[in-house]
Amino acid sequence: QHISPRLGNHLAMRYRLVATSFGGVGCTSTIRGAVRHTLQTDLPTQMGGGDSAAQPIEALLASLLGCKVATAHYVARHLWARPHNRFESIEFADVEAVRDPRGAPPDRHTVLSLSA
């Protein structure tokens, strides 16, 4: 991650990744920054994968919730900063996503619904 050129009046953060497949449908993504992290995804065996890592949709949901938690902590610390506004943790309980296993129909763009 590094600071990129401006987007309007704001500096933009740029993130770069490299993805490499393994075992047919598995994927290792390497985040290319000052510190290199890796993330693996795979599919269950009944879908042709090796079931060696989280499914891509599960990684997507975990990333979304990670952003929500980070944003809540930022707001509490910087935008709503008061001594009594400290909290130890945030929990999103029973988050569920539903998708059509057939994929996206050609006439629709939304194939994922999320509820928390």
Side-chain angles (χ1 to χ4, degrees):
Q1 125 191 0
H2 67 277
I3 302 295
S4 296
R6 291 188 173 271
L7 287 177
N9 292 329
H10 304 283
L11 290 177
M13 299 297 289
R14 177 177 292 165
Y15 300 89
R16 299 182 66 203
L17 289 85
V18 173
T20 307
S21 66
F22 68 87
V25 295
C27 179
T28 298
S29 297
T30 303
I31 293 89
R32 299 174 65 195
V35 177
R36 290 184 180 242
H37 296 285
T38 60
L39 172 71
Q40 288 192 327
T41 59
D42 200 357
L43 294 177
T45 53
Q46 67 267 29
M47 295 175 71
D51 204 17
S52 65
Q55 293 183 52
I57 189 70
E58 295 165 335
L60 174 68
L61 292 173
S63 296
L64 174 64
L65 292 175
C67 288
K68 292 179 114 7
V69 167
T71 300
H73 279 283
Y74 178 86
V75 168
R77 278 193 324 269
H78 300 287
L79 304 179
W80 198 35
R82 294 180 182 86
H84 63 277
N85 282 348
R86 299 191 184 271
F87 49 89
E88 294 293 320
S89 67
I90 299 171
E91 179 180 334
F92 290 90
D94 200 25
V95 175
E96 179 181 84
V98 178
R99 70 172 177 88
D100 188 333
R102 298 169 295 176
D107 61 340
R108 285 196 337 221
H109 297 290
T110 305
V111 293
L112 175 70
S113 63
L114 178 65
S115 62

